[in-house]
Amino acid sequence: MKRILSFFLLSVIFINTLAQAPAGYYNAATGLTGPSLKTALKTIISYGHSDHGYNGLWTAYYTTDRDYFYENDGTILDIYSENPNGPDQYNFTPGTNQCGTYSTEGQCYNREHVIPQSLFNSASPMVADINFIRPTDGKVNGVRSNYPYGVVGSASFTSKNGSKLGTSVSQGYSGTVFEPIDAFKGDIARMILYFVTRYEDKLPNFTSGGMLGNTAFPGLQSWALNQYIAWHLMDPVSAEEIARNNASYAYQGNRNPFIDHPEYVTQIWGTPALDTQAPTAATNLVANNPTSSSIALSWTAATDNVGVASYQIYANGTLRSTVAGTSTSTVVTGLSPLTSYTFYIIAKDAAGNSSPQSATATATTLDGPVSGSCGAEDFEMISGAANTYLTANWTNNGISWTATDARVDQTINNKAITIRNGNLTSSTLSGGIQDLTLTTQLKFTGNAGNINVFVNNVNVGTIPYSDVATTTTIYNINVSGNVVIKLTNSSTSNRVALDDLSWSCFNTLATSETQKNKTEFTIYPNPVKNNELFVKGENLGKISKGEIYDLSGKLIQTIANPFKNSNKISLQGLVKGTYILKTDNNTAKFIVD
């Protein structure tokens, strides 16, 4: 084996030093521009192309995709896991770690078609063309699926090296896209431009996938072309790309012309109007609705000549979260009780331009429930027959669980319980519940939906699921005493895997003497009936303002002097759900039935 590896190492050195483009390789392109240049390059790079078949890619990767540029350890150079600025969280050994099955990152590497093979029906020679098929982590490859590449605003998935799946903020496209890290955006762009050049005559018969054009020129949809040219210019050709192009040529007999001659890109498609104008600063930032572990923020949107892609939220100088450009509110969570936080916002556009820092807003979290890890269920104790639906019972960490219409053979992070038109129910738990976290994933076929979460048979919220494994937390459930958790999937067809369930306890702390002097109240009935919320307490007439928020932190209603003339609030227009009433000094949660 050592001799084999030595052979491959010598092969890499030989390829990188000797296998440049032959003299005169691009002579037929001399003096051409636009569509004529593109077609001439198509002819050049079609000649000599030797199809070694789909399985041949595994062999090709021994020489085309080895890391002699970052860690310099000869492992697979994976653009979805490589950390250019530090150690990788995991590595793949060529041959040894080929996929295979996977459920999490770092288990195996797969063959990632930068242009999804579903767009050309897995036909040859496209399906085995090394020039646009990279070895990448199997899990991230699966998450990327057949989505186009673009700039993500709000991410539903982020890989360990920062590659993201989410809603597009690339100008002209609003669907789901996958965004690689900056270090490999040019690589991706040049592989896509290679594809639409090498196979320009076949494009009318391909599916667009939201990115491909149906004519030889320009070959891409306008939004995609502009985005990929911008990436090409932003991330120039690297030594790693040059070495890969040489090794690919030695293996397959043709080259990527946009690596050899980056100037061909603008000679064919021109230079897009680059966005160099930064967004304005967001204004009117307000921090409100503090709890013991969260603070709600709202602001007036920034403006931009093209469009704001995202807002970065900073707390005490540290980046805490990023929200999509369409958002003008968010709830920042994971804070400590009785702690002062100063917030500011930076707006960014799709080109990466950053706004000036917004004015700051300061708020202090409340004294309140004791939070922290209270209980967890990882489903590693489940057992039963595969490929069947049953009632599963097991005990873990002193808690008994029952899952109905469930199967035990699916995974997310190792074992998971999969529910179809059934529920997962705990035995009685002590300590109450403040927050609850769950990872979900739709298995097999079906549509995205929601798992209903009940505590003591009261619906306290929903957790979404889709074909992408997603972790969601419901904050501020705030039920004290003994509780029973029940998670329900009411779909007769969607089979939803549940994993890594955890919750924090809720135990009300004794209030300080200062807090005892504040205006306190109780609300009734709860759940609310007939759209009227009643309040009981002392000095209600002194309360200057009441605000109603939903659980996302969105301000629904503001009422000046809410109890000046009566002890009730009209809730006309509120849909069923859970809300928070905040007054000058207190908050209370209520449910609209």
Side-chain angles (χ1 to χ4, degrees):
M1 183 62 181
K2 290 182 179 179
R3 284 182 294 187
I4 295 174
L5 290 176
S6 298
F7 168 76
F8 280 118
L9 292 175
L10 291 172
S11 297
V12 171
I13 295 171
F14 177 79
I15 289 166
N16 288 343
T17 55
L18 299 181
Q20 306 295 325
Y25 188 77
Y26 292 108
N27 279 356
T30 302
L32 299 178
T33 59
S36 298
L37 173 56
K38 184 170 181 286
T39 299
L41 292 176
K42 181 260 188 303
T43 301
I44 292 169
I45 62 179
S46 298
Y47 180 78
H49 181 169
S50 178
D51 184 356
H52 294 288
Y54 190 43
N55 284 333
L57 293 168
W58 296 125
T59 301
Y61 293 151
Y62 277 98
T63 54
T64 60
D65 293 87
R66 302 288 291 279
D67 187 354
Y68 298 111
F69 304 90
Y70 299 101
E71 280 74 27
N72 195 29
D73 57 5
T75 59
I76 289 293
L77 205 166
D78 167 19
I79 60 177
Y80 292 168
S81 65
E82 178 61 50
N83 176 13
N85 302 311
D88 298 339
Q89 294 199 35
Y90 55 86
N91 294 109
F92 298 124
T93 301
T96 302
N97 299 126
Q98 293 173 191
C99 292
T101 59
Y102 53 85
S103 59
T104 60
E105 282 191 64
Q107 292 179 302
C108 60
Y109 67 94
N110 217 333
R111 295 162 289 190
E112 170 70 294
H113 292 75
V114 168
I115 301 295
Q117 57 180 311
S118 60
L119 304 190
F120 49 82
N121 201 29
S122 302
S124 295
M126 290 76 67
V127 73
D129 189 337
I130 190 69
N131 283 311
F132 75 97
I133 308 174
R134 299 284 299 245
T136 63
D137 179 89
K139 172 65 175 181
V140 185
N141 183 329
V143 169
R144 185 256 164 156
S145 186
N146 59 357
Y147 295 113
Y149 292 92
V151 177
V152 169
S154 178
S156 60
F157 169 86
T158 302
S159 78
K160 292 182 178 179
N161 86 330
S163 301
K164 297 179 287 188
L165 180 77
T167 303
S168 170
V169 291
S170 290
Q171 186 179 8
Y173 189 74
S174 59
T176 300
V177 293
F178 188 88
E179 181 179 359
I181 62 173
D182 289 349
F184 299 113
K185 285 178 176 173
D187 304 51
I188 293 289
R190 286 178 281 275
M191 285 188 282
I192 292 172
L193 297 175
Y194 163 86
F195 182 91
V196 299
T197 300
R198 170 65 180 86
Y199 302 108
E200 67 171 21
D201 56 325
K202 299 179 183 293
L203 290 175
N205 298 318
F206 292 165
T207 303
S208 74
M211 59 186 295
L212 296 181
N214 59 6
T215 58
F217 188 85
L220 286 164
Q221 296 183 13
S222 295
W223 80 268
L225 180 62
N226 289 335
Q227 184 65 78
Y228 304 148
I229 293 177
W231 283 0
H232 163 74
L233 297 174
M234 177 197 77
D235 175 29
V237 172
S238 64
E240 170 267 319
E241 274 186 281
I242 293 171
R244 187 179 198 277
N245 199 26
N246 293 335
S248 298
Y249 177 63
Y251 167 76
Q252 187 171 279
N254 69 337
R255 307 179 65 83
N256 184 333
F258 306 112
I259 296 174
D260 290 329
H261 289 278
E263 71 277 9
Y264 283 165
V265 173
T266 54
Q267 289 174 9
I268 293 173
W269 289 285
T271 302
L274 298 180
D275 179 11
T276 59
Q277 181 174 325
T280 63
T283 56
N284 301 319
L285 177 63
V286 176
N288 53 25
N289 192 32
T291 70
S292 62
S293 61
S294 67
I295 294 175
L297 301 178
S298 62
W299 61 90
T300 299
T303 61
D304 186 67
N305 62 319
V306 176
V308 175
S310 61
Y311 294 97
Q312 295 180 327
I313 314 299
Y314 288 81
N316 293 347
T318 301
L319 178 63
R320 294 302 298 267
S321 64
T322 301
V323 297
T326 55
S327 300
T328 54
S329 65
T330 190
V331 176
V332 182
T333 59
L335 308 171
S336 302
L338 294 176
T339 303
S340 178
Y341 291 89
T342 299
F343 299 92
Y344 65 83
I345 292 175
I346 292 177
K348 301 194 74 171
D349 62 21
N353 300 309
S354 298
S355 76
Q357 177 183 312
S358 72
T360 60
T362 300
T364 300
T365 50
L366 303 178
D367 197 355
V370 177
S371 62
S373 179
C374 181
E377 175 54 37
D378 59 10
F379 302 97
E380 295 305 304
M381 299 299 292
I382 60 175
S383 62
N387 302 315
T388 186
Y389 291 88
L390 45 78
T391 296
N393 296 280
W394 71 96
T395 298
N396 190 19
N397 295 324
I399 303 171
S400 297
W401 298 90
T402 300
T404 61
D405 202 7
R407 59 188 293 169
V408 300
D409 56 351
Q410 298 300 300
T411 62
I412 299 181
N413 295 320
N414 296 317
K415 288 185 178 181
I417 193 74
T418 301
I419 307 293
R420 178 193 65 181
N421 194 28
N423 55 67
L424 171 69
T425 307
S426 73
S427 56
T428 300
L429 314 171
S430 62
I433 292 180
Q434 178 181 346
D435 307 325
L436 181 144
T437 300
L438 180 69
T439 300
T440 59
Q441 186 176 27
L442 177 67
K443 296 295 184 178
F444 311 106
T445 59
N447 300 309
N450 293 286
I451 294 292
N452 288 298
V453 179
F454 293 84
V455 174
N456 293 344
N457 289 319
V458 175
N459 191 328
V460 296
T462 61
I463 290 181
Y465 61 79
S466 68
D467 57 0
V468 176
T470 303
T471 301
T472 304
T473 299
I474 300 177
Y475 295 99
N476 299 316
I477 296 172
N478 297 350
V479 178
S480 61
N482 292 336
V483 294
V484 173
I485 299 172
K486 183 168 72 173
L487 309 178
T488 300
N489 175 20
S490 58
S491 171
T492 59
S493 57
N494 289 346
R495 290 148 290 184
V496 185
L498 314 177
D499 201 359
D500 294 336
L501 170 64
S502 63
W503 60 94
S504 58
C505 284
F506 182 89
N507 293 310
T508 304
L509 292 175
T511 56
S512 66
E513 290 300 316
T514 301
Q515 288 177 306
K516 287 180 179 179
N517 293 327
K518 295 178 179 178
T519 301
E520 298 178 354
F521 60 81
T522 57
I523 58 176
Y524 65 96
N526 197 4
V528 175
K529 307 290 185 182
N530 301 321
N531 298 309
E532 288 185 330
L533 176 67
F534 291 84
V535 177
K536 180 171 66 175
E538 297 180 2
N539 301 317
L540 294 179
K542 294 182 179 180
I543 295 176
S544 62
K545 183 172 67 172
E547 296 173 318
I548 296 176
Y549 293 84
D550 65 17
L551 287 186
S552 71
K554 179 181 179 181
L555 178 62
I556 305 298
Q557 184 178 359
T558 300
I559 311 159
N561 302 310
F563 309 116
K564 182 177 182 179
N565 300 313
S566 73
N567 70 328
K568 68 180 181 180
I569 296 176
S570 174
L571 301 177
Q572 291 289 342
L574 261 63
V575 300
K576 290 183 178 181
T578 304
Y579 298 87
I580 295 172
L581 170 64
K582 178 181 181 294
T583 63
D584 298 346
N585 298 306
N586 290 279
T587 61
K589 179 178 288 187
F590 63 93
I591 297 171
V592 175
D593 198 354

